[in-house]
Amino acid sequence: MSDSVLDLTCELIRCRSVTPVDDGCQDLLRARLTALRFAITRLDKQDVTNFYATVGSGSPLFVFAGHTDVVPPGDLADWASPPFEPTLRDGYLFGRGAADMKSSLAAMIVATENFIAKHPQPRGTLAFLITSDEEGAAEYGTRYVVEHLTEIGCIPDLCIVGEPTSSTRLGDTLRNGRRGSLNGTLTIHGVQGHVAYPDLADNPIHRAAPFLAHLTRIEWDTGNDHYPPTSLQISNIAAGTGASNVIPGRLIVDCNFRYSTEQSAAKLQQAIAELLDEHALDATVHWQLAGEPFLTRPGTLTDTVQRAVRQLLATECALSTAGGTSDGRFIAPMGCELVEIGPVNATIHKVDECVSVADLQPLAQIYERVLEELLA
Ligand SMILES: [Zn+2]
């Protein structure tokens, strides 16, 4: 395999694919898959670039899923080397997307090339589901492709998402589920007035203070065998008119729940409504559900990935449902077994994002071993 994973990762990093722009990443991937006789369906929608590609037929239908988009680099002056110029330094490859998740995409392609070279007729179907909108709104990315696949009755049995799940060394952690994510914007209404005449106003900051204190003390649940406890974080509070002599008319609070299967979005929304009532607050609440929690119970796919990691790297791969949301939230509800496994995530979304060069070929070997076990 020489340096093929490194080479392709570098090519992908050179594409300035800041979400939802693809900037040629998917051309590179499609060219490699076309050479392997994959049938490719482009599923672009608005400014999002997507494709679904398959080789073989029948079941099991195994899908490699991933995204070509990256988060913005931020201030370029903060980077030791330019974010879209792949740079090797001290055994690491630096560049935006090096870990999240251009190296995984390259590893999936190389694993597939090696696997197809040995097994030109795989058992079942091997597919790629690739989007350029995972880091952004995610409206017309994987969600849209999944709608299309559901319409044509194409339901995956097994799926690996290449998100960077490893914490300190390659393969130490896989995700077999994700917590739910629910965003809330609470507008607490008062009456604007002069600070010198508080009896003629109604200060929403003062009214909200005990409610917010109460909110942050609540233990929502204690988690369960597969999930850590549900947590609520307030991410922003805004009030004030900009003048120091004005009581503002409203206070806006943004918050986010990361929740276990002990909860549902409906239950959490109800709990907030009751708490607002208890504190006699006049409030308007707007909810946006990013995704309900999903879980793949330990079984064929988790066992296969864990065995591959143990055999290739002598590392025990722990199951985890921690971390942020991923596109697994759209694919898992189709009813397939889904795990996420990829490189070390210590630098993702940061300045000087990087991946260990020594991890690149082993990541491809893990993916290839899984294909060998499931589709050979
Ligand atoms: Zn990612």
Side-chain angles (χ1 to χ4, degrees):
M1 301 206 275
S2 72
D3 286 323
S4 43
V5 181
L6 174 62
D7 292 344
L8 181 53
T9 307
C10 290
E11 283 186 77
L12 291 168
I13 289 173
R14 272 185 212 106
C15 303
R16 295 167 179 260
S17 58
V18 174
T19 190
V21 172
D22 175 67
D23 197 34
C25 290
Q26 292 183 27
D27 290 334
L28 294 168
L29 303 181
R30 280 196 305 266
R32 303 280 283 255
L33 294 173
T34 301
L36 298 173
R37 291 205 283 272
F38 274 69
I40 294 174
T41 309
R42 290 192 62 152
L43 291 158
D44 300 350
K45 171 100 169 167
Q46 305 224 349
D47 51 358
V48 178
T49 313
N50 307 302
F51 75 83
Y52 180 70
T54 61
V55 71
S57 62
S59 61
L61 168 51
F62 176 97
V63 177
F64 276 132
H67 62 89
T68 52
D69 58 324
V70 297
V71 294
D75 193 340
L76 300 186
D78 293 337
W79 286 70
S81 52
F84 298 105
E85 263 175 41
T87 306
L88 291 170
R89 208 162 55 237
D90 307 326
Y92 287 86
L93 170 64
F94 288 83
R96 176 56 87 223
D100 187 6
M101 54 173 277
K102 291 180 170 180
S103 50
S104 310
L105 295 173
M108 287 170 170
I109 292 286
V110 170
T112 299
E113 288 170 344
N114 290 332
F115 175 74
I116 296 286
K118 287 178 211 151
H119 309 278
Q121 308 286 349
R123 186 176 74 89
T125 310
L126 170 54
F128 276 73
L129 191 174
I130 305 294
T131 181
S132 73
D133 185 18
E134 195 272 346
E135 302 287 9
E139 183 69 40
Y140 302 119
T142 298
R143 181 202 297 265
Y144 173 70
V145 177
V146 163
E147 275 169 22
H148 168 79
L149 294 179
T150 306
E151 264 167 36
I152 63 171
C154 194
I155 308 299
D157 299 296
L158 304 154
C159 177
I160 286 187
V161 184
E163 288 295 340
T165 55
S166 302
S167 60
T168 55
R169 54 182 295 195
L170 179 65
D172 62 6
T173 311
L174 69 76
R175 302 246 184 274
N176 63 321
R178 293 273 186 167
R179 291 179 291 180
S181 174
L182 175 67
N183 293 304
T185 299
L186 284 50
T187 303
I188 295 164
H189 304 284
V191 176
Q192 185 176 322
H194 196 299
V195 292
Y197 301 90
D199 46 326
L200 299 179
D202 182 6
N203 192 327
I205 300 175
H206 293 197
R207 281 193 173 273
F211 162 77
L212 293 175
H214 189 166
L215 192 62
T216 56
R217 281 198 311 271
I218 294 173
E219 184 184 71
W220 301 92
D221 56 60
T222 52
N224 56 32
D225 286 350
H226 302 288
Y227 290 89
T230 294
S231 101
L232 168 95
Q233 290 297 310
I234 295 172
S235 57
N236 195 22
I237 293 181
T241 62
S244 57
N245 60 354
V246 178
I247 292 168
R250 60 177 170 268
L251 170 74
I252 297 170
V253 179
D254 291 323
C255 62
N256 175 269
F257 281 105
R258 291 299 157 111
Y259 62 98
S260 71
T261 41
E262 298 300 301
Q263 303 288 344
S264 67
K267 247 166 105 174
L268 293 168
Q269 290 172 18
Q270 179 62 27
I272 293 291
E274 284 169 11
L275 196 64
L276 287 164
D277 273 355
E278 188 185 323
H279 287 266
L281 292 170
D282 174 14
T284 314
V285 187
H286 176 76
W287 294 106
Q288 188 260 330
L289 177 62
E292 291 275 13
F294 65 88
L295 180 74
T296 291
R297 295 192 177 277
T300 308
L301 188 57
T302 56
D303 289 351
T304 304
V305 172
Q306 285 179 309
R307 197 160 47 240
V309 171
R310 195 178 302 127
Q311 287 170 356
L312 291 163
L313 304 176
T315 298
E316 281 307 310
C317 185
L319 305 184
S320 161
T321 59
T325 60
S326 80
D327 276 357
R329 69 192 144 138
F330 302 125
I331 303 169
M334 297 176 90
C336 64
E337 288 185 44
L338 180 144
V339 306
E340 304 176 24
I341 175 115
V344 173
N345 55 26
T347 61
I348 60 172
H349 295 206
K350 293 185 179 175
V351 160
D352 294 334
E353 178 178 348
C354 64
V355 66
S356 166
V357 174
D359 287 348
L360 296 177
Q361 293 297 128
L363 181 58
Q365 286 164 353
I366 293 169
Y367 293 153
E368 187 186 343
R369 182 68 65 92
V370 170
L371 294 179
E372 281 285 343
E373 289 218 23
L374 298 174
L375 297 183

